[in-house]
């Protein structure tokens, strides 16, 4: 790991502004003497030191007014996030009055806008830093980074849950916005003028404010920006309507009831943990079983965990340099697609398997009736013959097959096997086996289902049960820390790219503190021994 963090008492390149203080300044020395040894600010200072900041320094062009040094800005932001302060406006305020921030930043007072822009600049650096921290943890013997617990949790988007629009309302607003933008005239801020533009290029409210709807922006610039957001929302809504049309008929929704949040069209409307319908993102974490590190993290613009495991395996391999040897998940990941992805990557999956399709929701009368019949486990699969054998010993050949879509990129092939009706009608088990003996009992099998069968056998072992108990104490605690202590119950950025950068920044803070505390542990133990002696 390269130690390249620069402090004000070292030589700086001319493109960065010199901070008001250095380590010899009386103000800095005064705070340093009053700051406790175990203060969080000192821990953040030690945690940032191993990071390679050269790519971040190189991202500055060196033109215009001089920027504050990135090392100082990074310390300030990481400390505020560690304290659960997530708003750049509060960061700017606290830099003026909090001694620990003055100590970390050597007296700089960045404005709210500078902090916003710097936070966005960090987006391209976060994955590299997360890889560096994990490499450092492995090198120091903190963890082998081979076993993890995976889970996802929904986090509210920065968009109103009260102003989501369906296709009809969105089209009406788009038409009114287009008329208003055309009537505003040429853009005064350099934007391309509309064909119907007339009048002076101003940013005044316009001649007739009373005629504007309550939801419409008050200035021409605001209306142009709002029109762009609404057009993006319309495109995203059409994609969701098309995806809805590909779903099964019984799960297909009325297209006019599908809504979108214009404030953040990337977010997916759904119900959160409190059963509130709102725009959401799904944040996924792979939490180390041998330490408190986060070994992989990603944000998805969807409500559920479907199709996320293969992506998380790729992220894990990128960050840690290898795939995990064992992965603990909940029942939502116990699917043929996910289990096959784990088997292909050499990952041993531990997850409870759902025994019916209506787990977690109220069953329909037909589903409840089928649940009382002989389960599929009573039928024997014969791979050599490619058929099932019923409990009475009759062969059940394959009758038909169909392809079922799971996500836009994933699908499975399901085969159906049916017992001859004459066997079912004469069978003594017919009353408990099928509601319609004249049609014959049928069972289905997904291609590759042997990985699920192996998973179910694996989960019966005593060592698997002991290992799986560790899942709740690891990844669940990570989400509790992020949502409660770091107050990440709602993203502040808008759009998937900003939301992802915000989430990875929180993961970086978490991992940096884990490594820094581990480095401090031997020193603190030695000091305690000396104090006791």
């Amino acid at each position: 790991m390269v130690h390249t963090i620069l402090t004000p008492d070292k030589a700086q390149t001319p493109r960065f502004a010199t901070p008001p203080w250095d380590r010899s300044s009386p103000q800095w020395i005064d705070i340093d003497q009053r700051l406790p040894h175990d203060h969080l600010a000192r821990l953040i200072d030690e945690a940032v030191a191993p990071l390679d900041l050269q790519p971040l320094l190189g991202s500055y062009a060196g033109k215009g007014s001089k920027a504050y040094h990135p090392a100082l800005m990074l310390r300030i932001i990481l400390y505020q996030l560690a304290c659960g302060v997530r708003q750049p406006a509060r960061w700017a305020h606290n830099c003026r009055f909090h001694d620990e921030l003055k100590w970390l930043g050597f007296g700089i007072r960045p404005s709210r806008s500078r902090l916003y822009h710097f936070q966005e600049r960090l987006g391209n650096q976060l994955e590299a830093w997360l890889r560096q921290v994990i490499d450092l943890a492995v090198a120091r013997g903190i963890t082998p980074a081979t076993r993890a617990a995976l889970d996802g949790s929904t986090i509210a988007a920065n968009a109103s849950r009260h102003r989501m629009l369906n296709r009809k309302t969105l089209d009406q607003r788009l038409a009114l916005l287009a008329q208003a933008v055309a009537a505003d005239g040429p853009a005064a801020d350099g934007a391309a003028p509309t064909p119907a533009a007339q009048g002076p290029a101003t940013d005044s409210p316009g001649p007739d404010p009373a005629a504007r709807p309550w939801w419409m922006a008050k200035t021409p610039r605001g209306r142009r920006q709002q029109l762009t957001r609404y057009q993006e929302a319309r495109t995203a809504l059409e994609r969701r309507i098309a995806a809805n049309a590909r779903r099964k008929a019984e799960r297909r929704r009325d297209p006019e009831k599908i809504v979108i949040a214009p404030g953040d069209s990337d977010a997916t409307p759904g119900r959160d943990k409190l059963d509130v319908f709102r725009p959401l993102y799904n944040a996924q974490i792979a939490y180390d079983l041998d330490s408190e590190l986060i070994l992989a993290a990603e944000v998805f613009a969807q409500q559920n965990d479907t199709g996320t495991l293969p992506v998380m395996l790729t992220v894990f391999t990128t960050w840690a340099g290898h795939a995990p040897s064992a992965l603990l998940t909940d029942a939502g990941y116990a699917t043929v697609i996910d289990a096959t992805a784990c088997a292909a990557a050499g990952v041993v999956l531990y997850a409870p398997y759902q025994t019916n399709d209506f787990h977690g929701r109220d069953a329909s009368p037909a589903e409840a009736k089928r649940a009382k019949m002989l389960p599929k486990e009573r039928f024997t699969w014969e791979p050599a013959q490619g058929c099932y054998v019923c409990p009475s010993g009759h062969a059940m050949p394959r009758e038909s097959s169909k392809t079922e879509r799971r996500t836009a990129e994933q699908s499975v092939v399901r085969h159906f096997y049916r017992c001859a009706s004459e066997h079912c009608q004469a069978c003594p088990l017919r009353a408990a086996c099928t509601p319609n003996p004249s049609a014959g009992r049928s069972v289905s099998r997904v291609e590759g289902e042997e990985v699920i069968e192996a998973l179910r056998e694996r989960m019966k072992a005593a060592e698997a049960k002991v290992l799986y108990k560790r899942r709740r104490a690891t990844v669940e605690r990570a989400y509790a820390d992020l949502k409660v202590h770091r107050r990440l119950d709602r993203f502040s950025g808008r759009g998937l790219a900003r939301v992802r950068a915000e989430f990875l920044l929180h993961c970086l803070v978490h991992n940096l503190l884990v490594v820094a505390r581990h480095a401090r542990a031997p020193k603190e133990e030695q000091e305690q021994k000396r104090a006791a002696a």
Side-chain angles (χ1 to χ4, degrees):
M1 192 67 63
V2 181
H3 296 253
T4 58
I5 186 168
L6 300 180
T7 54
D9 56 352
K10 296 183 180 181
Q12 297 186 16
T13 53
R15 60 184 175 214
F16 298 117
T18 303
W21 305 343
D22 56 28
R23 296 187 186 275
S24 61
S25 300
Q27 302 95 321
W28 190 89
I29 294 175
D30 175 63
I31 299 175
D32 183 65
Q33 292 174 346
R34 291 186 285 108
L35 208 61
H37 169 73
D38 58 350
H39 197 278
L40 179 61
R42 294 190 183 275
L43 197 63
I44 289 292
D45 183 52
E46 297 170 9
V48 176
L51 294 181
D52 181 8
L53 301 185
Q54 286 302 328
L56 177 61
L57 300 178
S59 67
Y60 287 81
K63 299 178 181 179
S65 59
K66 292 182 179 180
Y68 289 124
H69 198 284
L72 306 181
M73 298 282 282
L74 182 61
R75 290 170 173 173
I76 290 173
I77 289 181
L78 293 181
Y79 177 80
Q80 292 284 264
L81 292 177
C83 294
V85 182
R86 301 173 41 244
Q87 299 82 9
R90 289 187 61 190
W91 299 346
H93 175 271
N94 293 344
C95 284
R96 299 173 62 89
F97 300 103
H98 291 205
D99 284 347
E100 61 272 19
L101 292 177
K102 297 177 184 178
W103 181 83
L104 284 169
F106 289 90
I108 65 172
R109 294 182 178 182
S111 64
R112 170 178 171 270
S113 60
R114 281 201 178 193
L115 288 165
Y116 263 117
H117 293 319
F118 182 75
Q119 185 184 22
E120 291 190 2
R121 185 185 291 271
L122 295 178
N124 297 329
Q125 315 295 328
L126 295 174
E127 284 197 77
W129 288 343
L130 284 161
R131 290 196 297 268
Q132 292 172 26
V133 175
I134 294 175
D135 290 343
L136 182 62
V138 173
R140 292 182 177 179
I142 300 176
T143 176
T146 56
R147 305 185 303 169
L150 174 66
D151 198 8
S153 181
T154 55
I155 299 177
N158 187 11
S160 173
R161 63 186 179 92
H162 301 290
R163 298 184 181 181
M164 292 188 287
L165 308 176
N166 62 5
R167 179 166 52 183
K168 179 180 178 181
T169 305
L170 188 58
D171 287 342
Q172 292 173 349
R173 294 192 178 186
L174 271 171
L176 292 175
L177 268 174
Q179 294 174 7
V181 169
D184 287 334
D189 57 356
T194 58
Q198 296 178 357
T202 65
D203 205 34
S204 61
D208 190 9
R212 291 195 309 269
W214 62 269
W215 52 266
M216 188 177 292
K218 296 181 180 180
T219 65
R221 178 178 298 177
R223 287 190 284 273
R224 289 192 297 271
Q225 295 173 347
Q226 190 177 25
L227 178 61
T228 301
R229 291 198 304 269
Y230 273 51
Q231 289 170 340
E232 293 172 352
R234 187 64 172 83
T235 303
L237 183 59
E238 283 301 318
R239 288 198 299 266
R240 293 177 188 176
I241 292 175
N244 177 70
R246 295 192 295 267
R247 303 177 70 180
K248 294 181 180 179
E250 62 270 19
R251 297 187 177 182
R252 197 174 302 151
R253 299 177 57 195
D254 181 356
E256 296 305 318
K257 293 184 179 180
I258 299 176
V259 295
I260 196 167
D264 189 351
S265 57
D266 287 345
T268 301
R271 296 199 175 273
D272 62 10
K273 299 293 185 181
L274 301 177
D275 203 31
V276 177
F277 190 74
R278 66 191 313 162
L280 299 168
Y281 284 100
N282 186 338
Q284 298 272 325
I285 282 178
Y287 197 86
D288 189 18
L289 295 184
D290 301 301
S291 70
E292 296 182 348
L293 289 169
I294 295 174
L295 299 179
E298 189 57 273
V299 179
F300 298 86
Q302 61 185 64
Q303 181 184 1
N304 53 40
D305 299 328
T306 303
T308 61
L309 188 143
V311 178
M312 291 300 295
L313 285 179
T314 302
V315 175
F316 189 105
T317 304
T318 302
W319 289 15
H322 53 79
S325 60
L327 192 64
L328 280 57
T329 70
D330 61 19
Y333 300 88
T335 65
V336 169
I337 293 176
D338 291 344
T340 301
C342 287
V347 180
V348 180
L349 178 65
Y350 295 90
Y353 180 70
Q354 292 179 326
T355 57
N356 53 65
D357 292 334
F358 51 87
H359 179 80
R361 61 181 176 88
D362 294 335
S364 66
E367 290 172 332
K369 186 175 182 180
R370 286 196 297 269
K372 295 180 180 179
M373 299 296 173
L374 290 178
K376 179 181 174 180
E377 290 71 25
R378 294 286 301 275
F379 295 77
T380 305
W381 170 247
E382 297 292 344
Q385 289 76 29
C387 68
Y388 275 96
V389 176
C390 75
S392 296
H394 300 292
M396 302 174 64
R398 187 169 71 182
E399 180 186 48
S400 61
S401 303
K402 71 174 182 178
T403 301
E404 298 178 351
R405 187 184 300 273
R406 290 293 183 263
T407 65
E409 298 82 15
Q410 298 175 336
S411 61
V412 296
V413 178
R414 184 179 295 275
H415 304 295
F416 295 89
Y417 303 83
R418 187 178 296 276
C419 188
S421 58
E422 56 268 21
H423 296 320
C424 290
Q425 290 175 354
C427 180
L429 299 176
R430 62 181 181 275
C433 186
T434 175
N436 188 8
S438 61
R441 170 65 188 265
S442 68
V443 295
S444 66
R445 182 180 181 87
V446 175
E447 249 181 40
E449 194 168 315
E450 54 272 10
V451 293
I452 294 296
E453 294 169 349
L455 170 63
R456 298 177 68 177
E457 289 299 318
R458 186 184 310 127
M459 293 300 294
K460 294 178 182 179
E463 56 270 21
K465 296 178 180 179
V466 172
L467 178 63
Y468 193 76
K469 288 181 180 179
R470 301 189 59 184
R471 179 183 169 275
R472 184 181 297 274
T474 52
V475 68
E476 297 290 352
R477 187 175 64 176
Y479 281 114
D481 178 68
L482 287 171
K483 290 187 173 184
V484 178
H485 296 156
R486 315 300 176 206
R487 296 181 175 87
L488 187 59
D489 55 351
R490 178 188 176 101
F491 287 112
S492 59
R494 292 179 176 176
L496 183 58
R498 290 183 177 179
V499 164
R500 180 177 182 272
E502 184 178 349
F503 187 64
L504 293 187
L505 192 56
H506 278 82
C507 295
L508 176 65
V509 174
H510 176 91
N511 283 0
L512 284 173
L513 291 177
V514 170
V515 174
R517 289 191 178 106
H518 183 272
R520 271 196 171 195
K523 299 178 182 178
E524 293 176 353
E525 291 176 1
Q526 293 175 5
E527 290 177 359
Q528 291 174 0
K529 291 179 180 179
R530 285 197 298 266

